[in-house]
Amino acid sequence: GAVVSQHPSWVICKSGTSVKIECRSLDFQATTMFWYRQFPKQSLMLMATSNEGSKATYEQGVEKDKFLINHASLTLSTLTVTSAHPEDSSFYICSAQIGGGPQHFGDGTRLSIL
Amino acid sequence: GENVEQHPSTLSVQEGDSAVIKCTYSDSASNYFPWYKQELGKGPQLIIDIRSNVGEKKDQRIAVTLNKTAKHFSLHITETQPEDSAVYFCAASIRNAGNMLTFGGGTRLMVKP
């Protein structure tokens, strides 16, 4: 149980394009979803927290207009990287949580901007 | 805010030996401490967690201990196997305060056959 699916797993695109990443909780309804960014050989850095039906809460230093988060249902959250540039290249990981329970992570999306 | 430090950053052991990873946290209000295992190209997988009202928890070859007074917690893996090789992250959070996790820097565990 507690499976989180993330799509796509890998995307390569040109600088200036926008990329959407989906995070789905497959067998449970997630009250909260989190988005993280991970650089090679580094830890996970929280970008934002989103609750279904409300605006996401962004961590300090994360541009909300750059990283658009939509949490339209209890099983789906999306992260859109707008006007992506090479410095946005990273591993993006989502997690989903039921109430105060543990966070369950997706397998991440490797984003490469050329 | 919370700060979690993790040591060592890399750990190499022989198959069958034990491995210990240690973490310290700064916020005494933290009361939930999960451990995650991350394999290459994958997301973190929860392997064990402990709450502040418990001092020790065990699940087969994996155990976690917590010392609230000293604000540190440790992961113990016994009888290590090559498939235990991965990066392990500790984390801390304050339940009912957004449940946001603060992660340690990670430990790359290599189990040599």
Side-chain angles (χ1 to χ4, degrees), chain B residues 47-58:
Chain B
I47 56 172
I48 195 167
D49 57 9
I50 191 168
R51 305 189 191 286
S52 60
N53 59 346
V54 176
E56 184 175 356
K57 184 176 178 180
K58 192 173 182 180

Side-chain angles (χ1 to χ4, degrees), chain B:
Chain B
E2 175 67 281
N3 182 48
V4 178
E5 297 202 356
Q6 184 171 344
H7 299 280
S9 56
T10 60
L11 178 59
S12 181
V13 299
Q14 286 295 135
E15 182 178 0
D17 288 350
S18 295
V20 180
I21 302 170
K22 298 182 179 181
C23 288
T24 60
Y25 61 99
S26 61
D27 192 339
S28 57
S30 289
N31 53 16
Y32 174 65
F33 308 93
W35 285 88
Y36 288 88
K37 174 184 181 182
Q38 186 177 29
E39 297 178 336
L40 191 62
K42 299 278 190 179
Q45 178 187 11
L46 179 69
I47 56 172
I48 195 167
D49 57 9
I50 191 168
R51 305 189 191 286
S52 60
N53 59 346
V54 176
E56 184 175 356
K57 184 176 178 180
K58 192 173 182 180
D59 182 5
Q60 299 182 0
R61 297 187 297 110
I62 295 173
V64 57
T65 58
L66 170 65
N67 183 326
K68 284 191 297 183
T69 303
K71 288 190 282 190
H72 66 70
F73 55 113
S74 301
L75 177 71
H76 304 252
I77 305 174
T78 58
E79 301 173 28
T80 54
Q81 301 166 2
E83 50 266 38
D84 293 330
S85 296
V87 179
Y88 291 80
F89 290 99
C90 64
S93 79
I94 303 171
R95 287 177 58 77
N96 302 320
N99 298 303
M100 291 185 296
L101 294 173
T102 300
F103 283 87
T107 297
R108 184 171 300 275
L109 174 64
M110 293 168 283
V111 180
K112 299 177 181 177

